[in-house]
Amino acid sequence: FFLFLPAGILYPLYKKRELKKRRKEELKRQFKEAVLMLSSSLAAGYSMENSFSQAEIQLRELYGERAMMADEFSDMRRQLSLNRTLEELWSDFADRSGVEEIRSFALILRSARRNGGRMGAVISHIAEIIGGKLQVQEEIRTMTAQKQFEQKIMNLLFDEIDDLRDGADKDLDDIFIDV
């Protein structure tokens, strides 16, 4: 019993860290989709605030109950009605999420709005960059998993070859002992 006690204490901490990592990855994917939706709404002529409404609806359709970004957009729309600036809201969200891409987006959004940049073009460009970055990360993760799987197969094969060699040595010993 006492032998398994440390594992029982450490396992929830491990699972919590794993869950947090998985949620961050899901948030990154949803963020990429959300930025693409914002970009298309802005390109269609919607204002930034109306783009949030459109993106929220689309995200709820796409992700259903797991729509973390739709919840954030809903909160942002509520906060906008309380006269908070869009830059503040994105900055707060970036701090809470801890996701590098969201933090970068918040900084770029702040500077684009201050300098009077074309928001549709800026957000579209950001969406392309983030999409490319997430795609590269996914490819790296896939290749790493593939190599780990290959390593497991190689280890299994070497164990089997070792077992065969041990069996063959034993058979040869039996033959020479009988002679």
Side-chain angles (χ1 to χ4, degrees):
F1 172 75
F2 292 111
L3 184 65
F4 295 110
L5 190 60
I9 293 171
L10 295 177
Y11 183 73
L13 297 174
Y14 169 77
K15 283 308 256 185
K16 183 179 179 181
R17 189 173 357 140
E18 185 69 27
L19 180 63
K20 185 177 179 181
K21 182 180 175 184
R22 233 183 279 142
R23 284 179 58 92
K24 260 188 177 180
E25 291 298 319
E26 180 65 23
L27 184 62
K28 279 184 190 181
R29 274 191 289 280
Q30 288 188 21
F31 174 70
K32 181 185 104 172
E33 294 296 327
V35 171
L36 286 170
M37 290 172 188
L38 280 176
S39 172
S40 66
S41 293
L42 288 170
Y46 286 101
S47 69
M48 182 60 98
E49 290 75 17
N50 289 337
S51 295
F52 278 114
S53 298
Q54 292 298 316
E56 180 186 346
I57 292 167
Q58 292 173 354
L59 286 167
R60 290 223 187 271
E61 289 175 4
L62 187 62
Y63 292 106
E65 292 295 317
R66 317 175 286 119
M68 292 183 272
M69 283 303 299
D71 294 339
E72 283 299 326
F73 281 1
S74 177
D75 284 347
M76 284 183 185
R77 282 191 311 112
R78 214 171 303 123
Q79 294 290 325
L80 282 170
S81 69
L82 297 173
N83 292 330
R84 288 196 61 197
T85 65
L86 194 59
E87 295 84 9
E88 285 178 22
L89 297 175
W90 275 102
S91 182
D92 288 348
F93 175 51
D95 292 340
R96 282 185 287 119
S97 71
V99 175
E100 176 190 339
E101 288 83 359
I102 297 174
R103 200 171 282 131
S104 298
F105 179 80
L107 290 172
I108 293 168
L109 182 71
R110 174 180 291 154
S111 65
R113 284 188 62 113
R114 281 187 186 158
N115 297 329
R118 295 181 330 197
M119 292 307 293
V122 169
I123 291 178
S124 177
H125 184 68
I126 292 170
E128 288 176 21
I129 291 171
I130 290 171
K133 182 177 179 180
L134 291 176
Q135 184 178 2
V136 168
Q137 287 174 347
E138 191 64 35
E139 287 176 9
I140 290 171
R141 214 177 356 262
T142 302
M143 289 170 48
T144 303
Q146 179 183 359
K147 292 298 178 186
Q148 289 173 345
F149 184 69
E150 287 175 7
Q151 183 64 44
K152 287 178 184 178
I153 290 174
M154 294 298 286
N155 288 342
L156 186 73
L157 285 175
F158 284 128
D159 287 345
E160 287 300 316
I161 290 172
D162 245 4
D163 290 346
L164 287 174
R165 188 180 309 138
D166 290 343
D169 289 344
K170 191 175 183 182
D171 288 342
L172 287 176
D173 288 343
D174 288 344
I175 291 172
F176 286 115
I177 289 175
D178 290 341
V179 173

